[in-house]
Amino acid sequence: MCIRDRRYTVTVKAWDDYGKWGVKKVVVNVDSGRYTPSQQIRLRDVSFPPDNPYIIEGLDFSDSTQSQVILENVENVIIRRNRFRNLRVKESIGALDISNSKGITIEENLFEDVSNAIVISGFSDIKIRNNVLNRISYEKGYVGWGIGITNSTHVLIEGNLIEKVGPTFIAPPPGVDEPGMYIE
């Protein structure tokens, strides 16, 4: 399995509490050669110490029949430098399905050709940064999420590239200017 190296330049816009904003360019590299094919990972009712979190890294998820990483009631997990591809099943929750958890970091992952990428509910202290989401919900007449967050607190979303979102997507609330992103 050899997937070409990819380099994405993302322009990040951010606003502070006083309404001032700034712009910064972030380069996201998606390199090949370090990925191991993987089946679904499911963690439930487990807590890891903050100084020794559980790390899911360097895996290639390309099973088109199910959600690929499912976290339920977990603490302190890092999901980084993985590929999530070809999840075209509309009935799935998302490539990443996270519920009732805290202390989760999702960074430097590639989500490509998925109906829903990241779906999070009932969450506290989450960081979603420097991910590439490409060809999300790219099926006619289907509404899918690049990043969908409901009933959650303390969420940081920065430096993500959401590209080629399909013909329909959830409209973001005011102040969030990324297509395919929804926060409730």
Side-chain angles (χ1 to χ4, degrees), residues 86-132:
N86 303 320
L87 181 66
R88 304 299 294 255
V89 180
K90 295 175 188 174
E91 293 79 21
S92 71
I93 302 299
L96 287 181
D97 175 18
I98 303 172
S99 61
N100 300 318
S101 298
K102 69 178 186 176
I104 308 297
T105 300
I106 302 165
E107 61 187 1
E108 301 175 17
N109 296 287
L110 171 65
F111 297 87
E112 193 166 57
D113 290 320
V114 297
S115 294
N116 296 300
I118 303 169
V119 178
I120 298 169
S121 177
F123 207 91
S124 176
D125 186 26
I126 179 169
K127 297 176 183 108
I128 304 171
R129 55 186 177 210
N130 302 333
N131 297 286
V132 174

mmCIF file of all heavy atoms in Angstrom, residues 86-132:
data_model
loop_
_atom_site.group_PDB
_atom_site.id
_atom_site.type_symbol
_atom_site.label_atom_id
_atom_site.label_comp_id
_atom_site.label_asym_id
_atom_site.label_seq_id
_atom_site.Cartn_x
_atom_site.Cartn_y
_atom_site.Cartn_z
ATOM 1 N N ASN A 86 -12.874 5.714 2.815
ATOM 2 C CA ASN A 86 -13.859 4.848 2.160
ATOM 3 C C ASN A 86 -14.974 4.370 3.076
ATOM 4 O O ASN A 86 -15.459 3.261 2.923
ATOM 5 C CB ASN A 86 -13.162 3.639 1.518
ATOM 6 C CG ASN A 86 -12.114 4.077 0.528
ATOM 7 O OD1 ASN A 86 -12.323 5.023 -0.222
ATOM 8 N ND2 ASN A 86 -10.973 3.416 0.543
ATOM 9 N N LEU A 87 -15.376 5.184 4.032
ATOM 10 C CA LEU A 87 -16.529 4.849 4.870
ATOM 11 C C LEU A 87 -17.742 5.524 4.232
ATOM 12 O O LEU A 87 -18.078 6.648 4.551
ATOM 13 C CB LEU A 87 -16.329 5.321 6.305
ATOM 14 C CG LEU A 87 -17.477 4.993 7.261
ATOM 15 C CD1 LEU A 87 -17.593 3.481 7.446
ATOM 16 C CD2 LEU A 87 -17.296 5.675 8.590
ATOM 17 N N ARG A 88 -18.369 4.846 3.304
ATOM 18 C CA ARG A 88 -19.458 5.425 2.526
ATOM 19 C C ARG A 88 -20.824 4.949 3.003
ATOM 20 O O ARG A 88 -21.819 5.147 2.332
ATOM 21 C CB ARG A 88 -19.270 5.073 1.046
ATOM 22 C CG ARG A 88 -17.939 5.499 0.460
ATOM 23 C CD ARG A 88 -17.713 7.000 0.519
ATOM 24 N NE ARG A 88 -18.633 7.708 -0.299
ATOM 25 C CZ ARG A 88 -18.344 8.254 -1.465
ATOM 26 N NH1 ARG A 88 -17.130 8.195 -1.924
ATOM 27 N NH2 ARG A 88 -19.259 8.882 -2.153
ATOM 28 N N VAL A 89 -20.882 4.297 4.139
ATOM 29 C CA VAL A 89 -22.129 3.763 4.649
ATOM 30 C C VAL A 89 -22.884 4.872 5.372
ATOM 31 O O VAL A 89 -22.433 5.377 6.395
ATOM 32 C CB VAL A 89 -21.870 2.569 5.604
ATOM 33 C CG1 VAL A 89 -23.171 2.011 6.135
ATOM 34 C CG2 VAL A 89 -21.080 1.496 4.882
ATOM 35 N N LYS A 90 -24.036 5.265 4.862
ATOM 36 C CA LYS A 90 -24.785 6.379 5.433
ATOM 37 C C LYS A 90 -25.308 6.069 6.835
ATOM 38 O O LYS A 90 -25.502 6.958 7.636
ATOM 39 C CB LYS A 90 -25.950 6.735 4.513
ATOM 40 C CG LYS A 90 -25.498 7.244 3.174
ATOM 41 C CD LYS A 90 -26.678 7.465 2.256
ATOM 42 C CE LYS A 90 -26.192 7.779 0.867
ATOM 43 N NZ LYS A 90 -27.270 7.859 -0.093
ATOM 44 N N GLU A 91 -25.533 4.798 7.139
ATOM 45 C CA GLU A 91 -26.073 4.432 8.439
ATOM 46 C C GLU A 91 -25.033 4.514 9.551
ATOM 47 O O GLU A 91 -25.365 4.441 10.722
ATOM 48 C CB GLU A 91 -26.659 3.016 8.398
ATOM 49 C CG GLU A 91 -27.895 2.890 7.530
ATOM 50 C CD GLU A 91 -27.565 2.805 6.037
ATOM 51 O OE1 GLU A 91 -26.428 2.453 5.681
ATOM 52 O OE2 GLU A 91 -28.456 3.112 5.235
ATOM 53 N N SER A 92 -23.764 4.626 9.198
ATOM 54 C CA SER A 92 -22.731 4.710 10.239
ATOM 55 C C SER A 92 -22.845 6.061 10.939
ATOM 56 O O SER A 92 -23.344 7.027 10.379
ATOM 57 C CB SER A 92 -21.340 4.572 9.622
ATOM 58 O OG SER A 92 -21.036 5.729 8.874
ATOM 59 N N ILE A 93 -22.370 6.111 12.161
ATOM 60 C CA ILE A 93 -22.364 7.380 12.879
ATOM 61 C C ILE A 93 -21.302 8.277 12.278
ATOM 62 O O ILE A 93 -21.570 9.368 11.818
ATOM 63 C CB ILE A 93 -22.121 7.164 14.386
ATOM 64 C CG1 ILE A 93 -23.183 6.252 14.983
ATOM 65 C CG2 ILE A 93 -22.068 8.479 15.123
ATOM 66 C CD1 ILE A 93 -24.586 6.775 14.894
ATOM 67 N N GLY A 94 -20.070 7.836 12.278
ATOM 68 C CA GLY A 94 -18.964 8.589 11.696
ATOM 69 C C GLY A 94 -17.712 7.737 11.718
ATOM 70 O O GLY A 94 -17.668 6.703 12.379
ATOM 71 N N ALA A 95 -16.695 8.166 10.987
ATOM 72 C CA ALA A 95 -15.423 7.450 11.049
ATOM 73 C C ALA A 95 -14.954 7.419 12.504
ATOM 74 O O ALA A 95 -14.506 6.403 13.005
ATOM 75 C CB ALA A 95 -14.400 8.110 10.143
ATOM 76 N N LEU A 96 -15.076 8.568 13.193
ATOM 77 C CA LEU A 96 -14.838 8.646 14.633
ATOM 78 C C LEU A 96 -16.175 8.906 15.311
ATOM 79 O O LEU A 96 -16.819 9.914 15.045
ATOM 80 C CB LEU A 96 -13.906 9.803 14.982
ATOM 81 C CG LEU A 96 -12.440 9.680 14.652
ATOM 82 C CD1 LEU A 96 -11.699 10.925 15.108
ATOM 83 C CD2 LEU A 96 -11.834 8.462 15.271
ATOM 84 N N ASP A 97 -16.585 8.027 16.185
ATOM 85 C CA ASP A 97 -17.831 8.170 16.931
ATOM 86 C C ASP A 97 -17.468 8.220 18.415
ATOM 87 O O ASP A 97 -17.023 7.230 18.981
ATOM 88 C CB ASP A 97 -18.751 6.982 16.633
ATOM 89 C CG ASP A 97 -20.013 7.008 17.469
ATOM 90 O OD1 ASP A 97 -20.350 8.068 18.023
ATOM 91 O OD2 ASP A 97 -20.667 5.949 17.580
ATOM 92 N N ILE A 98 -17.639 9.399 19.018
ATOM 93 C CA ILE A 98 -17.214 9.592 20.406
ATOM 94 C C ILE A 98 -18.401 10.085 21.219
ATOM 95 O O ILE A 98 -19.045 11.056 20.844
ATOM 96 C CB ILE A 98 -16.052 10.601 20.472
ATOM 97 C CG1 ILE A 98 -14.894 10.116 19.600
ATOM 98 C CG2 ILE A 98 -15.608 10.810 21.909
ATOM 99 C CD1 ILE A 98 -13.786 11.119 19.431
ATOM 100 N N SER A 99 -18.662 9.404 22.350
ATOM 101 C CA SER A 99 -19.778 9.827 23.190
ATOM 102 C C SER A 99 -19.387 9.776 24.666
ATOM 103 O O SER A 99 -18.633 8.907 25.093
ATOM 104 C CB SER A 99 -21.012 8.963 22.926
ATOM 105 O OG SER A 99 -20.757 7.614 23.217
ATOM 106 N N ASN A 100 -19.912 10.743 25.413
ATOM 107 C CA ASN A 100 -19.753 10.813 26.871
ATOM 108 C C ASN A 100 -18.322 10.571 27.335
ATOM 109 O O ASN A 100 -18.070 9.717 28.175
ATOM 110 C CB ASN A 100 -20.707 9.824 27.545
ATOM 111 C CG ASN A 100 -22.143 10.127 27.212
ATOM 112 O OD1 ASN A 100 -22.550 11.270 27.189
ATOM 113 N ND2 ASN A 100 -22.909 9.105 26.902
ATOM 114 N N SER A 101 -17.396 11.312 26.775
ATOM 115 C CA SER A 101 -15.981 11.135 27.091
ATOM 116 C C SER A 101 -15.341 12.477 27.373
ATOM 117 O O SER A 101 -15.944 13.519 27.140
ATOM 118 C CB SER A 101 -15.274 10.453 25.913
ATOM 119 O OG SER A 101 -15.818 9.174 25.684
ATOM 120 N N LYS A 102 -14.092 12.459 27.872
ATOM 121 C CA LYS A 102 -13.391 13.714 28.100
ATOM 122 C C LYS A 102 -11.891 13.525 27.934
ATOM 123 O O LYS A 102 -11.370 12.413 28.040
ATOM 124 C CB LYS A 102 -13.728 14.315 29.455
ATOM 125 C CG LYS A 102 -13.209 13.572 30.650
ATOM 126 C CD LYS A 102 -13.597 14.328 31.917
ATOM 127 C CE LYS A 102 -12.969 13.699 33.134
ATOM 128 N NZ LYS A 102 -13.254 14.454 34.342
ATOM 129 N N GLY A 103 -11.211 14.648 27.667
ATOM 130 C CA GLY A 103 -9.765 14.623 27.503
ATOM 131 C C GLY A 103 -9.324 13.948 26.212
ATOM 132 O O GLY A 103 -8.331 13.240 26.188
ATOM 133 N N ILE A 104 -10.049 14.174 25.116
ATOM 134 C CA ILE A 104 -9.743 13.522 23.842
ATOM 135 C C ILE A 104 -9.088 14.541 22.899
ATOM 136 O O ILE A 104 -9.556 15.664 22.757
ATOM 137 C CB ILE A 104 -11.011 12.956 23.184
ATOM 138 C CG1 ILE A 104 -11.787 12.071 24.148
ATOM 139 C CG2 ILE A 104 -10.690 12.236 21.886
ATOM 140 C CD1 ILE A 104 -11.095 10.838 24.628
ATOM 141 N N THR A 105 -8.006 14.129 22.247
ATOM 142 C CA THR A 105 -7.332 14.947 21.239
ATOM 143 C C THR A 105 -7.376 14.211 19.906
ATOM 144 O O THR A 105 -7.004 13.039 19.832
ATOM 145 C CB THR A 105 -5.867 15.219 21.635
ATOM 146 O OG1 THR A 105 -5.849 15.917 22.888
ATOM 147 C CG2 THR A 105 -5.160 16.054 20.585
ATOM 148 N N ILE A 106 -7.841 14.903 18.875
ATOM 149 C CA ILE A 106 -7.899 14.354 17.518
ATOM 150 C C ILE A 106 -7.048 15.272 16.657
ATOM 151 O O ILE A 106 -7.421 16.426 16.410
ATOM 152 C CB ILE A 106 -9.351 14.318 17.005
ATOM 153 C CG1 ILE A 106 -10.229 13.484 17.942
ATOM 154 C CG2 ILE A 106 -9.406 13.796 15.571
ATOM 155 C CD1 ILE A 106 -11.715 13.672 17.729
ATOM 156 N N GLU A 107 -5.875 14.781 16.190
ATOM 157 C CA GLU A 107 -4.972 15.671 15.469
ATOM 158 C C GLU A 107 -4.217 14.961 14.350
ATOM 159 O O GLU A 107 -3.899 13.784 14.447
ATOM 160 C CB GLU A 107 -3.987 16.329 16.430
ATOM 161 C CG GLU A 107 -3.089 15.378 17.171
ATOM 162 C CD GLU A 107 -2.233 16.056 18.231
ATOM 163 O OE1 GLU A 107 -2.338 17.276 18.431
ATOM 164 O OE2 GLU A 107 -1.448 15.340 18.870
ATOM 165 N N GLU A 108 -3.982 15.718 13.279
ATOM 166 C CA GLU A 108 -3.147 15.302 12.154
ATOM 167 C C GLU A 108 -3.634 14.018 11.498
ATOM 168 O O GLU A 108 -2.853 13.173 11.075
ATOM 169 C CB GLU A 108 -1.689 15.168 12.603
ATOM 170 C CG GLU A 108 -1.125 16.460 13.148
ATOM 171 C CD GLU A 108 0.278 16.307 13.709
ATOM 172 O OE1 GLU A 108 0.956 15.309 13.411
ATOM 173 O OE2 GLU A 108 0.696 17.207 14.453
ATOM 174 N N ASN A 109 -4.957 13.852 11.388
ATOM 175 C CA ASN A 109 -5.549 12.689 10.730
ATOM 176 C C ASN A 109 -6.049 13.084 9.345
ATOM 177 O O ASN A 109 -6.357 14.253 9.088
ATOM 178 C CB ASN A 109 -6.739 12.165 11.547
ATOM 179 C CG ASN A 109 -6.322 11.661 12.904
ATOM 180 O OD1 ASN A 109 -5.714 10.611 13.023
ATOM 181 N ND2 ASN A 109 -6.622 12.418 13.952
ATOM 182 N N LEU A 110 -6.174 12.103 8.467
ATOM 183 C CA LEU A 110 -6.772 12.300 7.152
ATOM 184 C C LEU A 110 -8.097 11.547 7.114
ATOM 185 O O LEU A 110 -8.145 10.339 7.376
ATOM 186 C CB LEU A 110 -5.849 11.762 6.048
ATOM 187 C CG LEU A 110 -6.456 11.707 4.638
ATOM 188 C CD1 LEU A 110 -6.762 13.114 4.130
ATOM 189 C CD2 LEU A 110 -5.534 10.978 3.684
ATOM 190 N N PHE A 111 -9.178 12.268 6.820
ATOM 191 C CA PHE A 111 -10.502 11.684 6.618
ATOM 192 C C PHE A 111 -10.836 11.910 5.150
ATOM 193 O O PHE A 111 -10.922 13.055 4.712
ATOM 194 C CB PHE A 111 -11.549 12.376 7.500
ATOM 195 C CG PHE A 111 -11.296 12.224 8.966
ATOM 196 C CD1 PHE A 111 -10.477 13.122 9.638
ATOM 197 C CD2 PHE A 111 -11.883 11.199 9.671
ATOM 198 C CE1 PHE A 111 -10.244 12.995 10.997
ATOM 199 C CE2 PHE A 111 -11.650 11.062 11.038
ATOM 200 C CZ PHE A 111 -10.829 11.955 11.695
ATOM 201 N N GLU A 112 -11.024 10.833 4.402
ATOM 202 C CA GLU A 112 -11.227 10.981 2.967
ATOM 203 C C GLU A 112 -12.285 9.995 2.492
ATOM 204 O O GLU A 112 -12.255 8.819 2.850
ATOM 205 C CB GLU A 112 -9.898 10.724 2.254
ATOM 206 C CG GLU A 112 -9.884 11.143 0.813
ATOM 207 C CD GLU A 112 -8.473 11.183 0.277
ATOM 208 O OE1 GLU A 112 -7.779 10.138 0.351
ATOM 209 O OE2 GLU A 112 -8.063 12.240 -0.209
ATOM 210 N N ASP A 113 -13.233 10.495 1.687
ATOM 211 C CA ASP A 113 -14.316 9.675 1.152
ATOM 212 C C ASP A 113 -15.118 9.002 2.260
ATOM 213 O O ASP A 113 -15.298 7.778 2.274
ATOM 214 C CB ASP A 113 -13.778 8.616 0.183
ATOM 215 C CG ASP A 113 -13.270 9.244 -1.105
ATOM 216 O OD1 ASP A 113 -13.926 10.180 -1.599
ATOM 217 O OD2 ASP A 113 -12.225 8.810 -1.595
ATOM 218 N N VAL A 114 -15.568 9.796 3.227
ATOM 219 C CA VAL A 114 -16.412 9.280 4.299
ATOM 220 C C VAL A 114 -17.732 10.033 4.310
ATOM 221 O O VAL A 114 -17.794 11.206 3.954
ATOM 222 C CB VAL A 114 -15.722 9.361 5.685
ATOM 223 C CG1 VAL A 114 -14.478 8.496 5.725
ATOM 224 C CG2 VAL A 114 -15.385 10.780 6.055
ATOM 225 N N SER A 115 -18.812 9.345 4.711
ATOM 226 C CA SER A 115 -20.116 10.002 4.790
ATOM 227 C C SER A 115 -20.162 10.972 5.960
ATOM 228 O O SER A 115 -20.711 12.061 5.854
ATOM 229 C CB SER A 115 -21.219 8.956 4.923
ATOM 230 O OG SER A 115 -21.286 8.186 3.746
ATOM 231 N N ASN A 116 -19.617 10.587 7.106
ATOM 232 C CA ASN A 116 -19.481 11.439 8.282
ATOM 233 C C ASN A 116 -18.069 11.222 8.812
ATOM 234 O O ASN A 116 -17.637 10.089 8.947
ATOM 235 C CB ASN A 116 -20.473 11.055 9.377
ATOM 236 C CG ASN A 116 -21.907 11.255 8.954
ATOM 237 O OD1 ASN A 116 -22.311 12.355 8.623
ATOM 238 N ND2 ASN A 116 -22.682 10.187 8.944
ATOM 239 N N ALA A 117 -17.381 12.298 9.158
ATOM 240 C CA ALA A 117 -16.002 12.144 9.634
ATOM 241 C C ALA A 117 -15.954 12.022 11.153
ATOM 242 O O ALA A 117 -15.710 10.954 11.689
ATOM 243 C CB ALA A 117 -15.131 13.295 9.147
ATOM 244 N N ILE A 118 -16.166 13.127 11.870
ATOM 245 C CA ILE A 118 -16.032 13.158 13.324
ATOM 246 C C ILE A 118 -17.393 13.514 13.913
ATOM 247 O O ILE A 118 -17.919 14.588 13.639
ATOM 248 C CB ILE A 118 -14.987 14.193 13.764
ATOM 249 C CG1 ILE A 118 -13.631 13.898 13.119
ATOM 250 C CG2 ILE A 118 -14.872 14.246 15.284
ATOM 251 C CD1 ILE A 118 -12.611 15.019 13.291
ATOM 252 N N VAL A 119 -17.938 12.623 14.730
ATOM 253 C CA VAL A 119 -19.230 12.863 15.372
ATOM 254 C C VAL A 119 -19.039 12.681 16.872
ATOM 255 O O VAL A 119 -18.622 11.629 17.333
ATOM 256 C CB VAL A 119 -20.318 11.912 14.833
ATOM 257 C CG1 VAL A 119 -21.634 12.159 15.541
ATOM 258 C CG2 VAL A 119 -20.484 12.088 13.327
ATOM 259 N N ILE A 120 -19.348 13.744 17.625
ATOM 260 C CA ILE A 120 -19.088 13.767 19.066
ATOM 261 C C ILE A 120 -20.345 14.217 19.800
ATOM 262 O O ILE A 120 -20.977 15.192 19.409
ATOM 263 C CB ILE A 120 -17.927 14.728 19.375
ATOM 264 C CG1 ILE A 120 -16.660 14.232 18.677
ATOM 265 C CG2 ILE A 120 -17.721 14.868 20.868
ATOM 266 C CD1 ILE A 120 -15.543 15.234 18.688
ATOM 267 N N SER A 121 -20.677 13.522 20.897
ATOM 268 C CA SER A 121 -21.830 13.891 21.698
ATOM 269 C C SER A 121 -21.521 13.702 23.179
ATOM 270 O O SER A 121 -20.896 12.715 23.565
ATOM 271 C CB SER A 121 -23.028 13.018 21.308
ATOM 272 O OG SER A 121 -24.127 13.326 22.131
ATOM 273 N N GLY A 122 -21.968 14.640 23.997
ATOM 274 C CA GLY A 122 -21.806 14.532 25.443
ATOM 275 C C GLY A 122 -20.351 14.512 25.857
ATOM 276 O O GLY A 122 -19.900 13.582 26.514
ATOM 277 N N PHE A 123 -19.639 15.538 25.533
ATOM 278 C CA PHE A 123 -18.189 15.527 25.614
ATOM 279 C C PHE A 123 -17.672 16.710 26.407
ATOM 280 O O PHE A 123 -18.292 17.750 26.455
ATOM 281 C CB PHE A 123 -17.654 15.622 24.187
ATOM 282 C CG PHE A 123 -16.327 15.022 24.025
ATOM 283 C CD1 PHE A 123 -16.208 13.704 23.660
ATOM 284 C CD2 PHE A 123 -15.194 15.759 24.241
ATOM 285 C CE1 PHE A 123 -14.982 13.145 23.491
ATOM 286 C CE2 PHE A 123 -13.951 15.196 24.092
ATOM 287 C CZ PHE A 123 -13.840 13.890 23.717
ATOM 288 N N SER A 124 -16.497 16.570 27.013
ATOM 289 C CA SER A 124 -15.844 17.668 27.707
ATOM 290 C C SER A 124 -14.352 17.632 27.390
ATOM 291 O O SER A 124 -13.756 16.553 27.347
ATOM 292 C CB SER A 124 -16.068 17.526 29.211
ATOM 293 O OG SER A 124 -15.359 18.527 29.904
ATOM 294 N N ASP A 125 -13.768 18.784 27.170
ATOM 295 C CA ASP A 125 -12.329 18.926 26.944
ATOM 296 C C ASP A 125 -11.862 18.135 25.725
ATOM 297 O O ASP A 125 -11.205 17.111 25.828
ATOM 298 C CB ASP A 125 -11.538 18.495 28.186
ATOM 299 C CG ASP A 125 -10.045 18.776 28.037
ATOM 300 O OD1 ASP A 125 -9.675 19.679 27.276
ATOM 301 O OD2 ASP A 125 -9.260 18.049 28.670
ATOM 302 N N ILE A 126 -12.227 18.640 24.547
ATOM 303 C CA ILE A 126 -11.827 17.999 23.300
ATOM 304 C C ILE A 126 -11.027 18.975 22.454
ATOM 305 O O ILE A 126 -11.315 20.168 22.434
ATOM 306 C CB ILE A 126 -13.041 17.488 22.498
ATOM 307 C CG1 ILE A 126 -12.574 16.854 21.195
ATOM 308 C CG2 ILE A 126 -14.037 18.575 22.220
ATOM 309 C CD1 ILE A 126 -13.636 16.094 20.475
ATOM 310 N N LYS A 127 -10.017 18.444 21.779
ATOM 311 C CA LYS A 127 -9.205 19.239 20.859
ATOM 312 C C LYS A 127 -9.237 18.555 19.500
ATOM 313 O O LYS A 127 -8.883 17.380 19.385
ATOM 314 C CB LYS A 127 -7.769 19.347 21.360
ATOM 315 C CG LYS A 127 -7.654 20.059 22.676
ATOM 316 C CD LYS A 127 -6.225 20.053 23.187
ATOM 317 C CE LYS A 127 -6.187 20.725 24.537
ATOM 318 N NZ LYS A 127 -5.967 19.831 25.634
ATOM 319 N N ILE A 128 -9.667 19.297 18.490
ATOM 320 C CA ILE A 128 -9.684 18.800 17.113
ATOM 321 C C ILE A 128 -8.814 19.757 16.316
ATOM 322 O O ILE A 128 -9.217 20.884 16.039
ATOM 323 C CB ILE A 128 -11.114 18.762 16.541
ATOM 324 C CG1 ILE A 128 -12.027 17.920 17.425
ATOM 325 C CG2 ILE A 128 -11.109 18.233 15.112
ATOM 326 C CD1 ILE A 128 -13.489 17.993 17.061
ATOM 327 N N ARG A 129 -7.598 19.318 15.943
ATOM 328 C CA ARG A 129 -6.698 20.260 15.304
ATOM 329 C C ARG A 129 -5.839 19.606 14.222
ATOM 330 O O ARG A 129 -5.441 18.453 14.334
ATOM 331 C CB ARG A 129 -5.823 20.936 16.343
ATOM 332 C CG ARG A 129 -5.053 20.001 17.221
ATOM 333 C CD ARG A 129 -4.314 20.758 18.311
ATOM 334 N NE ARG A 129 -3.634 19.812 19.177
ATOM 335 C CZ ARG A 129 -3.398 19.996 20.437
ATOM 336 N NH1 ARG A 129 -3.762 21.114 21.010
ATOM 337 N NH2 ARG A 129 -2.773 19.099 21.145
ATOM 338 N N ASN A 130 -5.588 20.404 13.194
ATOM 339 C CA ASN A 130 -4.686 20.043 12.097
ATOM 340 C C ASN A 130 -5.055 18.727 11.416
ATOM 341 O O ASN A 130 -4.199 17.917 11.095
ATOM 342 C CB ASN A 130 -3.235 20.006 12.581
ATOM 343 C CG ASN A 130 -2.805 21.333 13.168
ATOM 344 O OD1 ASN A 130 -3.324 22.376 12.807
ATOM 345 N ND2 ASN A 130 -1.869 21.300 14.091
ATOM 346 N N ASN A 131 -6.348 18.519 11.191
ATOM 347 C CA ASN A 131 -6.825 17.354 10.451
ATOM 348 C C ASN A 131 -7.189 17.773 9.034
ATOM 349 O O ASN A 131 -7.511 18.935 8.791
ATOM 350 C CB ASN A 131 -8.063 16.757 11.131
ATOM 351 C CG ASN A 131 -7.769 16.243 12.510
ATOM 352 O OD1 ASN A 131 -7.156 15.206 12.672
ATOM 353 N ND2 ASN A 131 -8.190 16.981 13.533
ATOM 354 N N VAL A 132 -7.160 16.832 8.115
ATOM 355 C CA VAL A 132 -7.609 17.070 6.741
ATOM 356 C C VAL A 132 -8.860 16.243 6.517
ATOM 357 O O VAL A 132 -8.854 15.026 6.727
ATOM 358 C CB VAL A 132 -6.521 16.680 5.715
ATOM 359 C CG1 VAL A 132 -7.057 16.797 4.297
ATOM 360 C CG2 VAL A 132 -5.287 17.559 5.889
#
